[in-house]
PDB file of all heavy atoms in Angstrom:
ATOM      1  N   VAL A  12      -6.174   0.304 -10.014  1.00 98.00           N
ATOM      2  CA  VAL A  12      -5.371   1.417 -10.574  1.00 98.00           C
ATOM      3  C   VAL A  12      -5.705   1.602 -12.018  1.00 98.00           C
ATOM      4  O   VAL A  12      -5.837   2.734 -12.494  1.00 98.00           O
ATOM      5  CB  VAL A  12      -3.892   1.178 -10.287  1.00 98.00           C
ATOM      6  CG1 VAL A  12      -3.070   2.250 -11.076  1.00 98.00           C
ATOM      7  CG2 VAL A  12      -3.621   1.270  -8.823  1.00 98.00           C
ATOM      8  N   LEU A  13      -5.867   0.508 -12.805  1.00 98.00           N
ATOM      9  CA  LEU A  13      -6.232   0.658 -14.192  1.00 98.00           C
ATOM     10  C   LEU A  13      -7.600   1.365 -14.359  1.00 98.00           C
ATOM     11  O   LEU A  13      -7.781   2.115 -15.249  1.00 98.00           O
ATOM     12  CB  LEU A  13      -6.231  -0.708 -14.869  1.00 98.00           C
ATOM     13  CG  LEU A  13      -4.893  -1.317 -15.219  1.00 98.00           C
ATOM     14  CD1 LEU A  13      -5.023  -2.764 -15.588  1.00 98.00           C
ATOM     15  CD2 LEU A  13      -4.193  -0.513 -16.339  1.00 98.00           C
ATOM     16  N   GLU A  14      -8.531   1.028 -13.446  1.00 96.00           N
ATOM     17  CA  GLU A  14      -9.846   1.575 -13.570  1.00 96.00           C
ATOM     18  C   GLU A  14      -9.916   3.068 -13.055  1.00 96.00           C
ATOM     19  O   GLU A  14     -10.562   3.913 -13.672  1.00 96.00           O
ATOM     20  CB  GLU A  14     -10.843   0.757 -12.704  1.00 96.00           C
ATOM     21  CG  GLU A  14     -12.275   1.306 -12.723  1.00 96.00           C
ATOM     22  CD  GLU A  14     -13.271   0.423 -11.970  1.00 96.00           C
ATOM     23  OE1 GLU A  14     -12.871  -0.641 -11.438  1.00 96.00           O
ATOM     24  OE2 GLU A  14     -14.457   0.830 -11.806  1.00 96.00           O
ATOM     25  N   HIS A  15      -9.242   3.323 -11.904  1.00 97.00           N
ATOM     26  CA  HIS A  15      -9.414   4.617 -11.282  1.00 97.00           C
ATOM     27  C   HIS A  15      -8.255   5.592 -11.451  1.00 97.00           C
ATOM     28  O   HIS A  15      -8.332   6.750 -11.234  1.00 97.00           O
ATOM     29  CB  HIS A  15      -9.656   4.413  -9.775  1.00 97.00           C
ATOM     30  CG  HIS A  15     -10.866   3.600  -9.429  1.00 97.00           C
ATOM     31  ND1 HIS A  15     -12.135   4.084  -9.675  1.00 97.00           N
ATOM     32  CD2 HIS A  15     -11.003   2.385  -8.875  1.00 97.00           C
ATOM     33  CE1 HIS A  15     -13.040   3.149  -9.268  1.00 97.00           C
ATOM     34  NE2 HIS A  15     -12.399   2.101  -8.824  1.00 97.00           N
ATOM     35  N   GLY A  16      -7.076   5.036 -11.872  1.00 96.00           N
ATOM     36  CA  GLY A  16      -5.890   5.848 -11.870  1.00 96.00           C
ATOM     37  C   GLY A  16      -5.391   6.122 -10.511  1.00 96.00           C
ATOM     38  O   GLY A  16      -5.904   5.531  -9.523  1.00 96.00           O
ATOM     39  N   LEU A  17      -4.439   7.065 -10.394  1.00 97.00           N
ATOM     40  CA  LEU A  17      -3.932   7.462  -9.090  1.00 97.00           C
ATOM     41  C   LEU A  17      -3.870   9.017  -9.039  1.00 97.00           C
ATOM     42  O   LEU A  17      -3.763   9.635 -10.104  1.00 97.00           O
ATOM     43  CB  LEU A  17      -2.478   6.885  -8.825  1.00 97.00           C
ATOM     44  CG  LEU A  17      -2.450   5.381  -8.557  1.00 97.00           C
ATOM     45  CD1 LEU A  17      -0.979   4.889  -8.624  1.00 97.00           C
ATOM     46  CD2 LEU A  17      -3.037   5.050  -7.214  1.00 97.00           C
ATOM     47  N   PRO A  18      -3.849   9.585  -7.841  1.00 96.00           N
ATOM     48  CA  PRO A  18      -3.672  11.028  -7.789  1.00 96.00           C
ATOM     49  C   PRO A  18      -2.356  11.474  -8.439  1.00 96.00           C
ATOM     50  O   PRO A  18      -1.414  10.648  -8.493  1.00 96.00           O
ATOM     51  CB  PRO A  18      -3.644  11.325  -6.287  1.00 96.00           C
ATOM     52  CG  PRO A  18      -4.413  10.170  -5.637  1.00 96.00           C
ATOM     53  CD  PRO A  18      -4.091   8.961  -6.566  1.00 96.00           C
ATOM     54  N   PRO A  19      -2.284  12.680  -8.940  1.00 94.00           N
ATOM     55  CA  PRO A  19      -1.074  13.111  -9.622  1.00 94.00           C
ATOM     56  C   PRO A  19       0.143  12.978  -8.743  1.00 94.00           C
ATOM     57  O   PRO A  19       0.108  13.196  -7.532  1.00 94.00           O
ATOM     58  CB  PRO A  19      -1.349  14.593  -9.973  1.00 94.00           C
ATOM     59  CG  PRO A  19      -2.873  14.699  -9.993  1.00 94.00           C
ATOM     60  CD  PRO A  19      -3.354  13.698  -8.970  1.00 94.00           C
ATOM     61  N   ALA A  20       1.262  12.549  -9.357  1.00 95.00           N
ATOM     62  CA  ALA A  20       2.581  12.483  -8.693  1.00 95.00           C
ATOM     63  C   ALA A  20       2.537  11.498  -7.540  1.00 95.00           C
ATOM     64  O   ALA A  20       3.289  11.651  -6.542  1.00 95.00           O
ATOM     65  CB  ALA A  20       3.074  13.835  -8.259  1.00 95.00           C
ATOM     66  N   THR A  21       1.715  10.455  -7.609  1.00 97.00           N
ATOM     67  CA  THR A  21       1.567   9.470  -6.565  1.00 97.00           C
ATOM     68  C   THR A  21       1.670   8.064  -7.134  1.00 97.00           C
ATOM     69  O   THR A  21       1.263   7.813  -8.232  1.00 97.00           O
ATOM     70  CB  THR A  21       0.222   9.620  -5.855  1.00 97.00           C
ATOM     71  OG1 THR A  21       0.026  10.977  -5.409  1.00 97.00           O
ATOM     72  CG2 THR A  21       0.022   8.667  -4.668  1.00 97.00           C
ATOM     73  N   LEU A  22       2.308   7.191  -6.328  1.00 98.00           N
ATOM     74  CA  LEU A  22       2.291   5.746  -6.687  1.00 98.00           C
ATOM     75  C   LEU A  22       2.044   4.958  -5.374  1.00 98.00           C
ATOM     76  O   LEU A  22       1.892   5.545  -4.341  1.00 98.00           O
ATOM     77  CB  LEU A  22       3.702   5.387  -7.227  1.00 98.00           C
ATOM     78  CG  LEU A  22       4.909   5.610  -6.274  1.00 98.00           C
ATOM     79  CD1 LEU A  22       5.969   4.578  -6.603  1.00 98.00           C
ATOM     80  CD2 LEU A  22       5.533   7.002  -6.510  1.00 98.00           C
ATOM     81  N   LEU A  23       1.933   3.652  -5.527  1.00 98.00           N
ATOM     82  CA  LEU A  23       1.666   2.766  -4.431  1.00 98.00           C
ATOM     83  C   LEU A  23       2.858   1.916  -4.054  1.00 98.00           C
ATOM     84  O   LEU A  23       3.507   1.289  -4.973  1.00 98.00           O
ATOM     85  CB  LEU A  23       0.448   1.930  -4.737  1.00 98.00           C
ATOM     86  CG  LEU A  23      -0.869   2.577  -5.070  1.00 98.00           C
ATOM     87  CD1 LEU A  23      -1.967   1.606  -5.281  1.00 98.00           C
ATOM     88  CD2 LEU A  23      -1.271   3.636  -3.973  1.00 98.00           C
ATOM     89  N   ASN A  24       3.144   1.805  -2.780  1.00 98.00           N
ATOM     90  CA  ASN A  24       4.142   0.887  -2.227  1.00 98.00           C
ATOM     91  C   ASN A  24       3.379  -0.248  -1.461  1.00 98.00           C
ATOM     92  O   ASN A  24       2.799   0.069  -0.415  1.00 98.00           O
ATOM     93  CB  ASN A  24       5.095   1.594  -1.256  1.00 98.00           C
ATOM     94  CG  ASN A  24       6.153   0.708  -0.722  1.00 98.00           C
ATOM     95  OD1 ASN A  24       6.426  -0.381  -1.268  1.00 98.00           O
ATOM     96  ND2 ASN A  24       6.807   1.080   0.385  1.00 98.00           N
ATOM     97  N   VAL A  25       3.419  -1.443  -2.051  1.00 98.00           N
ATOM     98  CA  VAL A  25       2.607  -2.581  -1.583  1.00 98.00           C
ATOM     99  C   VAL A  25       3.565  -3.574  -0.992  1.00 98.00           C
ATOM    100  O   VAL A  25       4.541  -4.046  -1.715  1.00 98.00           O
ATOM    101  CB  VAL A  25       1.721  -3.151  -2.634  1.00 98.00           C
ATOM    102  CG1 VAL A  25       0.940  -4.326  -2.085  1.00 98.00           C
ATOM    103  CG2 VAL A  25       0.835  -2.110  -3.233  1.00 98.00           C
ATOM    104  N   ASN A  26       3.369  -3.993   0.250  1.00 98.00           N
ATOM    105  CA  ASN A  26       4.191  -5.050   0.900  1.00 98.00           C
ATOM    106  C   ASN A  26       3.305  -6.174   1.370  1.00 98.00           C
ATOM    107  O   ASN A  26       2.230  -5.921   1.969  1.00 98.00           O
ATOM    108  CB  ASN A  26       5.020  -4.454   2.009  1.00 98.00           C
ATOM    109  CG  ASN A  26       6.184  -3.690   1.500  1.00 98.00           C
ATOM    110  OD1 ASN A  26       7.244  -4.163   1.278  1.00 98.00           O
ATOM    111  ND2 ASN A  26       5.970  -2.331   1.343  1.00 98.00           N
ATOM    112  N   PHE A  27       3.772  -7.415   1.191  1.00 98.00           N
ATOM    113  CA  PHE A  27       3.073  -8.623   1.568  1.00 98.00           C
ATOM    114  C   PHE A  27       3.790  -9.337   2.733  1.00 98.00           C
ATOM    115  O   PHE A  27       5.013  -9.496   2.638  1.00 98.00           O
ATOM    116  CB  PHE A  27       3.004  -9.598   0.430  1.00 98.00           C
ATOM    117  CG  PHE A  27       2.249  -9.104  -0.757  1.00 98.00           C
ATOM    118  CD1 PHE A  27       3.008  -8.662  -1.933  1.00 98.00           C
ATOM    119  CD2 PHE A  27       0.893  -9.029  -0.846  1.00 98.00           C
ATOM    120  CE1 PHE A  27       2.319  -8.213  -3.050  1.00 98.00           C
ATOM    121  CE2 PHE A  27       0.219  -8.520  -1.960  1.00 98.00           C
ATOM    122  CZ  PHE A  27       0.943  -8.134  -3.056  1.00 98.00           C
ATOM    123  N   PRO A  28       3.003  -9.724   3.764  1.00 96.00           N
ATOM    124  CA  PRO A  28       3.654 -10.621   4.760  1.00 96.00           C
ATOM    125  C   PRO A  28       3.900 -12.035   4.094  1.00 96.00           C
ATOM    126  O   PRO A  28       3.203 -12.352   3.146  1.00 96.00           O
ATOM    127  CB  PRO A  28       2.645 -10.682   5.894  1.00 96.00           C
ATOM    128  CG  PRO A  28       1.294 -10.402   5.216  1.00 96.00           C
ATOM    129  CD  PRO A  28       1.631  -9.488   4.067  1.00 96.00           C
ATOM    130  N   ALA A  29       4.827 -12.723   4.681  1.00 93.00           N
ATOM    131  CA  ALA A  29       5.061 -14.084   4.150  1.00 93.00           C
ATOM    132  C   ALA A  29       3.938 -15.019   4.655  1.00 93.00           C
ATOM    133  O   ALA A  29       3.333 -14.821   5.643  1.00 93.00           O
ATOM    134  CB  ALA A  29       6.420 -14.573   4.634  1.00 93.00           C
ATOM    135  N   GLY A  30       3.727 -16.100   3.867  1.00 88.00           N
ATOM    136  CA  GLY A  30       2.817 -17.126   4.262  1.00 88.00           C
ATOM    137  C   GLY A  30       1.336 -16.761   4.001  1.00 88.00           C
ATOM    138  O   GLY A  30       1.000 -15.677   3.556  1.00 88.00           O
ATOM    139  N   GLY A  31       0.463 -17.769   4.176  1.00 80.00           N
ATOM    140  CA  GLY A  31      -0.969 -17.539   3.949  1.00 80.00           C
ATOM    141  C   GLY A  31      -1.651 -16.842   5.110  1.00 80.00           C
ATOM    142  O   GLY A  31      -0.984 -16.326   5.998  1.00 80.00           O
ATOM    143  N   GLY A  32      -2.979 -16.874   5.125  1.00 89.00           N
ATOM    144  CA  GLY A  32      -3.757 -16.293   6.174  1.00 89.00           C
ATOM    145  C   GLY A  32      -3.760 -14.800   6.211  1.00 89.00           C
ATOM    146  O   GLY A  32      -3.945 -14.207   7.335  1.00 89.00           O
ATOM    147  N   ILE A  33      -3.591 -14.140   5.080  1.00 95.00           N
ATOM    148  CA  ILE A  33      -3.649 -12.648   5.087  1.00 95.00           C
ATOM    149  C   ILE A  33      -5.068 -12.194   5.389  1.00 95.00           C
ATOM    150  O   ILE A  33      -6.040 -12.744   4.900  1.00 95.00           O
ATOM    151  CB  ILE A  33      -3.195 -12.130   3.691  1.00 95.00           C
ATOM    152  CG1 ILE A  33      -1.691 -12.388   3.506  1.00 95.00           C
ATOM    153  CG2 ILE A  33      -3.575 -10.663   3.577  1.00 95.00           C
ATOM    154  CD1 ILE A  33      -1.185 -11.951   2.152  1.00 95.00           C
ATOM    155  N   LYS A  34      -5.165 -11.211   6.276  1.00 96.00           N
ATOM    156  CA  LYS A  34      -6.463 -10.709   6.758  1.00 96.00           C
ATOM    157  C   LYS A  34      -7.136  -9.744   5.841  1.00 96.00           C
ATOM    158  O   LYS A  34      -8.314  -9.473   5.979  1.00 96.00           O
ATOM    159  CB  LYS A  34      -6.317 -10.117   8.186  1.00 96.00           C
ATOM    160  CG  LYS A  34      -5.791 -11.074   9.232  1.00 96.00           C
ATOM    161  CD  LYS A  34      -5.528 -10.347  10.504  1.00 96.00           C
ATOM    162  CE  LYS A  34      -4.975 -11.263  11.604  1.00 96.00           C
ATOM    163  NZ  LYS A  34      -4.662 -10.559  12.842  1.00 96.00           N
ATOM    164  N   GLY A  35      -6.328  -9.108   4.926  1.00 96.00           N
ATOM    165  CA  GLY A  35      -6.921  -8.136   4.071  1.00 96.00           C
ATOM    166  C   GLY A  35      -5.889  -7.061   3.762  1.00 96.00           C
ATOM    167  O   GLY A  35      -4.691  -7.238   3.884  1.00 96.00           O
ATOM    168  N   ILE A  36      -6.399  -5.920   3.237  1.00 97.00           N
ATOM    169  CA  ILE A  36      -5.510  -4.830   2.800  1.00 97.00           C
ATOM    170  C   ILE A  36      -5.714  -3.650   3.794  1.00 97.00           C
ATOM    171  O   ILE A  36      -6.815  -3.315   4.174  1.00 97.00           O
ATOM    172  CB  ILE A  36      -5.915  -4.363   1.436  1.00 97.00           C
ATOM    173  CG1 ILE A  36      -5.569  -5.468   0.372  1.00 97.00           C
ATOM    174  CG2 ILE A  36      -5.173  -3.054   1.001  1.00 97.00           C
ATOM    175  CD1 ILE A  36      -6.038  -5.148  -1.070  1.00 97.00           C
ATOM    176  N   LYS A  37      -4.576  -3.019   4.163  1.00 97.00           N
ATOM    177  CA  LYS A  37      -4.606  -1.826   4.994  1.00 97.00           C
ATOM    178  C   LYS A  37      -3.950  -0.686   4.207  1.00 97.00           C
ATOM    179  O   LYS A  37      -2.790  -0.808   3.788  1.00 97.00           O
ATOM    180  CB  LYS A  37      -3.845  -2.043   6.294  1.00 97.00           C
ATOM    181  CG  LYS A  37      -4.527  -2.920   7.299  1.00 97.00           C
ATOM    182  CD  LYS A  37      -5.702  -2.179   7.998  1.00 97.00           C
ATOM    183  CE  LYS A  37      -6.258  -3.027   9.111  1.00 97.00           C
ATOM    184  NZ  LYS A  37      -7.433  -2.380   9.808  1.00 97.00           N
ATOM    185  N   ILE A  38      -4.655   0.467   4.102  1.00 98.00           N
ATOM    186  CA  ILE A  38      -4.055   1.646   3.566  1.00 98.00           C
ATOM    187  C   ILE A  38      -3.324   2.312   4.671  1.00 98.00           C
ATOM    188  O   ILE A  38      -3.933   2.640   5.737  1.00 98.00           O
ATOM    189  CB  ILE A  38      -5.079   2.600   2.956  1.00 98.00           C
ATOM    190  CG1 ILE A  38      -5.968   1.836   1.979  1.00 98.00           C
ATOM    191  CG2 ILE A  38      -4.411   3.798   2.303  1.00 98.00           C
ATOM    192  CD1 ILE A  38      -5.212   1.232   0.807  1.00 98.00           C
ATOM    193  N   CYS A  39      -2.030   2.536   4.585  1.00 97.00           N
ATOM    194  CA  CYS A  39      -1.173   2.940   5.680  1.00 97.00           C
ATOM    195  C   CYS A  39      -0.315   4.178   5.405  1.00 97.00           C
ATOM    196  O   CYS A  39      -0.243   4.630   4.260  1.00 97.00           O
ATOM    197  CB  CYS A  39      -0.189   1.788   6.018  1.00 97.00           C
ATOM    198  SG  CYS A  39      -0.909   0.182   6.149  1.00 97.00           S
ATOM    199  N   ARG A  40       0.314   4.631   6.448  1.00 96.00           N
ATOM    200  CA  ARG A  40       1.428   5.594   6.279  1.00 96.00           C
ATOM    201  C   ARG A  40       2.712   4.834   6.537  1.00 96.00           C
ATOM    202  O   ARG A  40       2.741   3.739   7.118  1.00 96.00           O
ATOM    203  CB  ARG A  40       1.261   6.710   7.289  1.00 96.00           C
ATOM    204  CG  ARG A  40       1.364   6.330   8.730  1.00 96.00           C
ATOM    205  CD  ARG A  40       1.310   7.561   9.671  1.00 96.00           C
ATOM    206  NE  ARG A  40       1.269   7.197  11.064  1.00 96.00           N
ATOM    207  CZ  ARG A  40       2.339   6.891  11.821  1.00 96.00           C
ATOM    208  NH1 ARG A  40       3.592   6.979  11.314  1.00 96.00           N
ATOM    209  NH2 ARG A  40       2.204   6.551  13.099  1.00 96.00           N
ATOM    210  N   GLN A  41       3.783   5.434   6.052  1.00 92.00           N
ATOM    211  CA  GLN A  41       5.103   4.883   6.278  1.00 92.00           C
ATOM    212  C   GLN A  41       5.505   4.962   7.741  1.00 92.00           C
ATOM    213  O   GLN A  41       5.413   6.044   8.306  1.00 92.00           O
ATOM    214  CB  GLN A  41       6.098   5.661   5.412  1.00 92.00           C
ATOM    215  CG  GLN A  41       7.561   5.209   5.495  1.00 92.00           C
ATOM    216  CD  GLN A  41       8.448   6.113   4.642  1.00 92.00           C
ATOM    217  OE1 GLN A  41       8.145   6.337   3.452  1.00 92.00           O
ATOM    218  NE2 GLN A  41       9.531   6.605   5.215  1.00 92.00           N
ATOM    219  N   ALA A  42       5.945   3.891   8.318  1.00 91.00           N
ATOM    220  CA  ALA A  42       6.345   3.902   9.719  1.00 91.00           C
ATOM    221  C   ALA A  42       7.661   4.686   9.925  1.00 91.00           C
ATOM    222  O   ALA A  42       8.524   4.690   9.048  1.00 91.00           O
ATOM    223  CB  ALA A  42       6.521   2.461  10.228  1.00 91.00           C
ATOM    224  N   ASN A  43       7.804   5.206  11.093  1.00 86.00           N
ATOM    225  CA  ASN A  43       9.077   5.848  11.505  1.00 86.00           C
ATOM    226  C   ASN A  43       9.980   4.739  12.012  1.00 86.00           C
ATOM    227  O   ASN A  43       9.972   4.396  13.189  1.00 86.00           O
ATOM    228  CB  ASN A  43       8.822   6.922  12.592  1.00 86.00           C
ATOM    229  CG  ASN A  43      10.107   7.546  13.096  1.00 86.00           C
ATOM    230  OD1 ASN A  43      11.165   7.438  12.499  1.00 86.00           O
ATOM    231  ND2 ASN A  43       9.997   8.192  14.253  1.00 86.00           N
ATOM    232  N   ALA A  44      10.790   4.178  11.121  1.00 82.00           N
ATOM    233  CA  ALA A  44      11.689   3.119  11.477  1.00 82.00           C
ATOM    234  C   ALA A  44      12.951   3.258  10.619  1.00 82.00           C
ATOM    235  O   ALA A  44      12.893   3.868   9.563  1.00 82.00           O
ATOM    236  CB  ALA A  44      11.005   1.737  11.220  1.00 82.00           C
ATOM    237  N   LYS A  45      14.024   2.637  11.096  1.00 81.00           N
ATOM    238  CA  LYS A  45      15.266   2.785  10.338  1.00 81.00           C
ATOM    239  C   LYS A  45      16.164   1.609  10.662  1.00 81.00           C
ATOM    240  O   LYS A  45      15.905   0.868  11.605  1.00 81.00           O
ATOM    241  CB  LYS A  45      15.992   4.083  10.691  1.00 81.00           C
ATOM    242  CG  LYS A  45      16.495   4.181  12.108  1.00 81.00           C
ATOM    243  CD  LYS A  45      17.157   5.469  12.452  1.00 81.00           C
ATOM    244  CE  LYS A  45      18.468   5.629  11.730  1.00 81.00           C
ATOM    245  NZ  LYS A  45      19.525   4.767  12.254  1.00 81.00           N
TER     246      LYS A  45
END
């Protein structure tokens, strides 16, 4: 983000699973959940 910035009026919501063994990063949409 420091290097590239972000599109106007946009921010990032980043969530981590607990524990090790993370497989990588997925760019996602917000799930329909409540």
